[in-house]
Amino acid sequence: MTSLTEGRHAGGFLVWEAFRDYTREVVIIATGGANPVLEPGTVLGKITASGKYAAHDPAGVDGTETAVAVLWGMADASAADVDAVVLLRGPAIVNSNDLVFTGTPTALEITAAHTALAAVGILTR
């Protein structure tokens, strides 16, 4: 019998949001970087110099060290910057088990990211 594996779905991390037209926005995902292909639910940081978004990097020094948004759907920025929908502000609640962190962050770094998301109204449960 064939086994099928279901991948992540756009918005699959979302438990609740107040008003989708308020909590979501289209932003630019920066090209390149260590992780140019991002899955739905990827925690993002905002690059201070350009205002573009990239995968949250706790070791970053360019603004991505602070978690500020969650990617709604798949984004492939390997060839060029791409527009993508993100959960940018709350009030909203997300499933912490469905959030995607690039690399191997420590429990302390994940907790710090959850705290940073809570600061913009995105609560993790």
Side-chain angles (χ1 to χ4, degrees):
M1 175 180 248
T2 303
S3 290
L4 300 177
T5 303
E6 189 170 355
R8 297 184 181 278
H9 295 278
F13 58 89
L14 185 67
V15 175
W16 176 86
E17 67 183 326
F19 306 104
R20 71 175 182 212
D21 293 335
Y22 175 74
T23 58
R24 303 180 207 172
E25 273 191 33
V26 175
V27 301
I28 298 172
I29 305 296
T31 188
N35 301 295
V37 180
L38 304 174
E39 294 183 67
T42 299
V43 177
L44 303 174
K46 186 175 182 180
I47 302 169
T48 307
S50 66
K52 297 175 184 176
Y53 291 75
H56 165 64
D57 179 6
V61 293
D62 60 354
T64 58
E65 67 274 11
T66 304
V68 297
V70 182
L71 184 64
W72 188 260
M74 181 73 92
D76 184 353
S78 54
D81 291 350
V82 294
D83 290 342
V85 174
V86 299
L87 182 65
L88 191 61
R89 66 182 68 83
I93 300 172
V94 298
N95 184 335
S96 62
N97 296 316
D98 290 334
L99 295 181
V100 177
F101 290 91
T102 58
T104 53
T106 65
L108 187 59
E109 291 169 337
I110 291 172
T111 299
H114 290 178
T115 302
L117 289 172
V120 294
I122 301 171
L123 305 178
T124 56
R125 298 285 183 253

